[in-house]
Amino acid sequence: MSDAFGVRVSRNTLLRLITSLPDPPTATPRVLGVDEYAQRRGRIYGTVLVDVETRRPVDLLPDREADTLAAWLSERPEIEIICRDRALFYAEGATRGAPQALQVADRWHLWHNLGEAAEKCVYRHRGCLRSAPAPLEEPQQAPETTASSPWPTGHRFAERTRAKHATVHALLAAGHSKRSIARQLGMGLNTVLRFSRATEPEQLFTGQWQSRPTKLDAYKPHLDQRWQEGCTNAWKLWEEIKAQGYPDGYGNVRAYVSRNLRGKPQPVGPRPPSARAVTRWILTHPNALAENDRLQLKAVLANYPELEALAEHVRSFAHMLTQLQGHQLPAWIEAATTVDLPSLQRFAQHLKRDIDAVVAGLSHPWNSGVVEGHVNRIKMLKRQMYGRAGFDLLRKRVLLAR
């Protein structure tokens, strides 16, 4: 723009002028939204404050400490409602800085945390998602051939041995002596004697390569079972047995899968659903599920009663959340802590730590959705500033470009 207007000024001067602009006048909000944003993801976080009623940003704080928020709130006693997540530092700062305000836990964060707990519960019982493989048909003639020939067709050692065996016997039939064959083929006399005594090349398939014990032998039953269950990723199989104590690398597992498992028949039928898919079905309203998803969910819940209990608790919590019936939360927590679902139990126990704000969040229409929108807007501004998004300049851009 400075080039278009013919103004000779450097970009640093423009940034300095923007930083020195005064803050726009803002009225103290009645309903305040509080959430964190990342200045450097995983390292430095700040706090964004938004007027929920007007949907405009009020201020940015350089950190997410309770003392900083409490000091900012103590200067504004007109605040009546504070929408926040369940972070302890925001709860402590709101309690100390605005004791007169009603704290409301955001419903989106509650539902998101419940979804994470539900997914952990489903993953813990992922064994029930996989139906038992169907019994195999009568064995074909191929296994008999494999049993009589330890090295299958196509194996380089087997093909080389078969070729040498055929050549030696062809020369013997033509009248060549064993010593002459050894000279012509560059083989030792004892090797030629072994080939000449074997009527079939399969009789030579013995030695150090056959039936030698390996460190993978103890884990082959697990690999075979997981292959039949539908897991055909060699890297994932290696990670599973590595967690069980397998000491070697990935290459041995990949070789075993390629040689021994690739040709095995897979279980007949559709691929079993993943834990994430089942969690999505449980978190979706039954009327909004597709017919196929509804039938698969019904089959999964019929196989394991604890997942049925999980679905019931999720649906009752969803009813509380959508119908704003927060007074039912204590009874829900009591019921959720009695089932054998550790992740759901931990979620219910954590709700007790902030029970007043959670009950208020499930009883009042206020939420932090508008604050999440401004957090996304801050991310966009940071990308536009190409590394120049220091706190002072970022704060000015958020507050001035309203």
Side-chain angles (χ1 to χ4, degrees):
M1 289 183 64
S2 62
D3 290 340
F5 287 107
V7 179
R8 299 180 59 83
V9 62
S10 69
R11 55 187 178 183
N12 292 331
T13 301
L14 290 177
L15 293 176
R16 187 171 63 252
L17 292 175
I18 293 174
T19 306
S20 63
L21 290 174
D23 293 342
T26 56
T28 301
R30 186 180 70 91
V31 183
L32 179 70
V34 181
D35 204 351
E36 64 182 10
Y37 71 93
Q39 295 184 24
R40 293 187 65 185
R41 187 178 179 88
R43 298 185 180 184
I44 303 175
Y45 288 87
T47 301
V48 56
L49 306 172
V50 179
D51 188 338
V52 176
E53 292 182 310
T54 63
R55 311 177 72 86
R56 293 180 177 274
V58 177
D59 205 347
L60 259 66
L61 304 181
D63 54 46
R64 54 180 181 180
E65 299 295 329
D67 294 338
T68 306
L69 179 61
W72 191 92
L73 293 174
S74 62
E75 299 175 357
R76 298 163 178 82
E78 299 87 354
I79 297 176
E80 300 179 5
I81 300 174
I82 299 177
C83 301
R84 58 170 180 81
D85 58 21
R86 293 186 297 125
L88 295 179
F89 41 84
Y90 285 149
E92 180 183 354
T95 302
R96 288 163 41 191
Q100 79 287 351
L102 173 67
Q103 299 183 35
V104 177
D106 183 53
R107 292 191 295 277
W108 183 89
H109 287 93
L110 294 173
W111 185 250
H112 179 70
N113 295 337
L114 177 61
E116 293 177 337
E119 183 174 358
K120 292 178 182 177
C121 293
V122 176
Y123 186 79
R124 181 170 177 261
H125 299 94
R126 63 189 181 277
C128 66
L129 304 181
R130 304 185 182 276
S131 58
L136 298 178
E137 299 295 334
E138 291 296 328
Q140 305 294 328
Q141 296 298 324
E144 296 180 1
T145 304
T146 305
S148 62
S149 178
W151 297 96
T153 302
H155 193 282
R156 60 181 183 179
F157 173 77
E159 297 301 329
R160 186 169 64 245
T161 303
R162 290 189 180 99
K164 289 182 178 180
H165 180 272
T167 303
V168 169
H169 280 265
L171 292 175
L172 287 173
H176 294 266
S177 67
K178 297 181 178 62
R179 292 185 182 276
S180 174
I181 295 174
R183 287 194 301 269
Q184 294 180 50
L185 300 181
M187 299 167 60
L189 179 60
N190 290 333
T191 304
V192 174
L193 291 175
R194 283 195 305 108
F195 274 86
S196 65
R197 293 167 186 163
T199 58
E200 299 291 339
E202 282 75 13
Q203 298 176 6
L204 301 170
F205 293 171
T206 58
Q208 59 177 337
W209 298 282
Q210 183 176 346
S211 303
R212 186 175 67 176
T214 65
K215 297 178 182 179
L216 189 61
D217 292 342
Y219 304 94
K220 288 180 180 178
H222 175 80
L223 297 177
D224 296 343
Q225 178 184 354
R226 294 287 289 124
W227 183 269
Q228 289 298 321
E229 291 177 351
C231 182
T232 59
N233 188 307
W235 184 271
K236 182 172 180 58
L237 292 173
W238 172 69
E239 289 182 334
E240 291 181 2
I241 63 175
K242 183 179 179 182
Q244 299 176 11
Y246 176 65
D248 282 355
Y250 162 70
N252 295 332
V253 178
R254 180 184 59 186
Y256 176 75
V257 169
S258 300
R259 288 197 306 263
N260 301 84
L261 298 182
R262 290 295 179 194
K264 286 189 175 182
Q266 293 296 311
V268 180
R271 184 176 182 180
S274 64
R276 178 165 296 183
V278 175
T279 305
R280 176 174 55 83
W281 298 338
I282 292 177
L283 295 174
T284 304
H285 194 282
N287 296 336
L289 279 175
E291 182 65 18
N292 186 39
D293 295 343
R294 186 181 62 81
L295 293 177
Q296 291 190 68
L297 177 61
K298 184 178 179 180
V300 169
L301 299 182
N303 291 337
Y304 214 87
E306 291 189 358
L307 291 184
E308 177 67 29
L310 172 65
E312 293 178 358
H313 284 88
V314 169
R315 289 166 184 167
S316 60
F317 192 91
H319 181 75
M320 281 192 303
L321 187 145
T322 55
Q323 303 300 320
L324 299 181
Q325 297 179 354
H327 62 278
Q328 299 179 0
L329 181 63
W332 184 91
I333 293 176
E334 186 67 24
T337 53
T338 60
V339 296
D340 186 18
L341 296 169
S343 298
L344 186 66
Q345 291 178 354
R346 287 192 293 269
F347 171 75
Q349 293 292 342
H350 289 167
L351 293 182
K352 290 183 178 180
R353 302 178 182 178
D354 200 17
I355 187 65
D356 294 335
V358 175
V359 171
L362 296 176
S363 304
H364 294 79
W366 304 107
N367 63 80
S368 302
V370 61
V371 189
E372 295 293 339
H374 281 283
V375 171
N376 289 331
R377 176 169 168 262
I378 291 174
K379 295 178 183 178
M380 180 194 66
L381 292 176
K382 286 176 56 183
R383 287 194 294 268
Q384 290 179 344
M385 295 167 72
Y386 296 102
R388 298 296 295 270
F391 172 74
D392 294 335
L393 181 59
L394 181 62
R395 180 176 178 274
K396 290 296 182 180
R397 290 205 61 181
V398 171
L399 297 181
L400 291 174
R402 298 193 300 170

